[in-house]
Structure formats: structure tokens, C-alpha cells
Amino acid sequence: MSTATASNTSSEFQSSPAHHNAKGGFLNTAPDFKADTPILPLLVRYIREERADAEPINPIPLSPLTTTQLEQLPLSSDSLIRLGHSSIYLQLSGQRWLIDPVFSERASPVNFAGPKRFHQPPITLAQLPTIDGVMISHDHYDHLDKASIKYLAENVKHFVVPLGVSAHLQDWGVKADRIHSLDWWQSVTINDVKITATPTQHFSGRGLFDKNDTLWASYVIESTNSKLFFSGDSGYFSGFKEIGDRLGPFDITMVETGAYDKDWATIHMTPDESLQAHRDLRGKQMMPIHNGTFDLAFHSWYEPLVRISALAQAADIPLVTPIMGQIISVNDIADTPSWWTSLYNGTRI
């Protein structure tokens, strides 16, 4: 039987925190935050700027998964599987969770245009065992996939989302009593798994007229055996240190490392900033996510992985870079391969 209890992690939490816009919706509060990139110069860049290795020529390596494999994972330890981009499969305290599940071919409002997958997921939606819960970090198409949610709506018992995102889920068939809507620093505990929504510096919206109507979040995820951090999407900001000080340390930080650019520097992190965020969070090992599946920026598809690998090695920080579909035991992490090195010639970084 599944039980859920809600809590507020901060005695200082107010009914109208600073990130709540008085005019409605939400906002970023850092004094140096900027997110108004001029559209025309950006379009000119897309037209004129030369792209090098925007997508892989050779197949991204996958470790295919089966239903039986997932059903037979030991209940006594926690497991983590990267499915692609920022989509994660977790088994925690015997429960099965998905974070930002995107199984569609494109991260787009239409199925004929927009960023297309470099690789298929290592398992299909139909092959998944019974999923206990789903976490969504924000409503962008590469994190909130309508087709995946509609498929999962009937059988998943718990959906954890930031404020406002519940409206999307209910439109797609998720029952309201299965949705846990959280503001930053609020928590829900489902059996032995505690999930706390924590700040990020990003934005939201799925169309032309709904920018920042819904909240964006990262997550602290605690089981009886481990404590994990999932960044969602974020620019670098002081919030990472606050999260680390208040809720760290973490066995693994899953930190956005990809889709960065000088024209949107405050809403996505460079690899240097991602590594600093991991340090601020007081993480033991870092898994770079938000890369390797979709072309979402001007850099080469492999650049984030090459850069973060070199930075982590120089700083002596353990990096977890599994092949998509590789099963990771959270409390006993084996070495993971630098799988991207065989897919580029190493001369264009």
C-alpha cells in the first residue's frame, strides 16, 4: 500500500516567497539574472553560424534493457539508470521512479520538426515494469513529454511536479489526487522515499504566451540507503550552495552539463559551472546530464562530455558517465566508460 505525506522543509517558508511574481507566475531573483536574448541576432546566428558535429555520425552506444532485468534489480540497494538526455530511471527503497521521462522521437510540440533523438531509449514505455512515481522538473518539451505522460497516466500512482505543472498533467489524463505539487523547499514522502523540490535558475513555458506561468525545480531525493540530487535545468547561481548547506551531502549529483551558450548564459551552465555546482552541493560523485540525446545549442554534441571529463579529472572529482541503459548501483558505483571518445576525432574542442 502506498502512502504519502507532505511537509515543509523550512520554518522560514512564506506564503509568497520572492520567486513568486506578484503579477502571476514565477521569476528568478538573482540580481545579475538576464534572460532576454534578442531574437533577431539569435536567428541570424542560427542561419549564418557554422556548426561542427551537431549530431553524431556513428551510433551512440546503448545497453538495452528488458522488463525482467528491471524487475530483478535487488531491493536491498538503490539503482540508477540514465535513459538519455535528462531522463532517469531510479529504484529507491524498492520503489520504481522516472525523472523527466521523454520517450518521444522529438523534443518538440510537433512530431515532424524540432530536436530529434540521436538514439532510441534503451527500453520502451511498453517494456517498463510498474512505475510507482514520476518526477517532472519543469514543463519544457525536453523534460515534459506529453506522449510519455499520457501513457503513464493510468497506472502510475504518484506524480511530483513544481507548482502549476499539474494543469498539463490533468489535461493529459492524470488524476488530480495522484499529483503532488511542490513549491521550492516543500517535500513529499512516499513510503520510504522523500522528495524535496529545490531552487533552480531557469524559466518555463510550452508556447508563445505562457512564459514562467509554471515553476521550475531541482530535486533532493532521499531513500533509506542514499541521497541524490537532480538539477533539472539551471544557470549557475548561489542556490546550489544553499541546497548543499541545507540538505547535502549527496551520494550522486545529476547535474545539467550541456546546451549552454553565451546568449543564454544565466539559464544553462557551462561545464566549469556544472562542476562548481557539484562542489557547492557537496556531492561525492557527479553524473553529467542534459547531453548526448538532442541538439539544443551551437556546440558540438560531444563537447560537454569532453570538457567536463577533463575538468573533473584535473580536480580529482569522480565522474559517473554510464552508457545509456547501464545499470548503476548507487552505493557501489563501478567505473563507467568515456563512451563518447570513440565517436569523434578529438580535434574540434
Side-chain angles (χ1 to χ4, degrees), residues 114-291:
K116 187 177 181 180
R117 305 184 71 95
F118 300 158
H119 63 86
Q120 292 304 307
I123 191 168
T124 67
L125 279 167
Q127 292 173 310
L128 288 171
T130 300
I131 300 298
D132 295 288
V134 170
M135 290 173 240
I136 301 295
S137 65
H138 63 295
D139 70 2
H140 287 161
Y141 287 91
D142 57 324
H143 295 262
L144 178 59
D145 177 31
K146 178 179 178 180
S148 297
I149 297 300
K150 290 183 74 171
Y151 184 92
L152 296 163
E154 185 65 28
N155 296 317
V156 173
K157 298 176 182 177
H158 301 280
F159 290 82
V160 179
V161 301
L163 294 179
V165 177
S166 60
H168 295 304
L169 272 59
Q170 290 181 68
D171 285 346
W172 303 337
V174 179
K175 295 177 182 177
D177 61 2
R178 297 187 179 191
I179 302 173
H180 309 276
S181 295
L182 303 180
D183 202 346
W184 293 345
W185 304 113
Q186 290 181 333
S187 303
V188 61
T189 300
I190 298 166
N191 294 331
D192 292 324
V193 176
K194 181 179 180 181
I195 301 163
T196 303
T198 43
T200 64
Q201 184 169 278
H202 199 54
F203 71 108
S204 66
R206 293 174 71 83
L208 296 175
F209 306 108
D210 64 343
K211 185 175 181 180
N212 296 344
D213 284 354
T214 66
L215 187 58
W216 46 97
S218 55
Y219 288 110
V220 171
I221 309 158
E222 302 174 66
S223 76
T224 53
N225 299 313
S226 61
K227 186 186 290 187
L228 311 176
F229 176 80
F230 178 84
S231 73
D233 281 3
S234 185
Y236 180 75
F237 74 133
S238 62
F240 291 118
K241 188 174 189 310
E242 184 179 8
I243 295 166
D245 289 345
R246 289 172 61 166
L247 299 177
F250 300 100
D251 296 293
I252 296 180
T253 66
M254 295 169 272
V255 180
E256 175 217 280
T257 314
Y260 47 84
D261 189 87
K262 62 183 176 64
D263 277 341
W264 52 85
T266 59
I267 58 172
H268 286 293
M269 292 185 282
T270 65
D272 308 67
E273 291 170 327
S274 298
L275 195 72
Q276 186 58 52
H278 168 80
R279 285 173 159 144
D280 292 349
L281 290 159
R282 299 163 59 209
K284 297 176 184 176
Q285 303 194 72
M286 174 185 173
M287 177 183 289
I289 59 173
H290 206 257
N291 56 61

Side-chain angles (χ1 to χ4, degrees), residues 55-62 118-120 292 301 323 339-340 342-344:
E55 58 185 57
I57 297 173
N58 296 313
I60 296 281
L62 291 178
F118 300 158
H119 63 86
Q120 292 304 307
W301 74 266
I323 292 171
W339 52 266
W340 58 91
S342 62
L343 302 181
Y344 80 102

Side-chain angles (χ1 to χ4, degrees), residues 68-84:
T68 302
Q69 271 182 295
L70 298 182
E71 289 177 338
Q72 292 181 349
L73 288 174
L75 300 180
S76 58
S77 62
D78 293 345
S79 300
L80 181 158
I81 303 170
R82 191 173 177 216
L83 302 176

Side-chain angles (χ1 to χ4, degrees), residues 41-69:
L42 191 59
L43 289 174
V44 170
R45 282 189 68 193
Y46 275 109
I47 294 168
R48 295 183 177 178
E49 192 164 311
E50 275 193 42
R51 301 288 308 281
D53 300 337
E55 58 185 57
I57 297 173
N58 296 313
I60 296 281
L62 291 178
S63 182
L65 295 163
T66 66
T67 311
T68 302
Q69 271 182 295

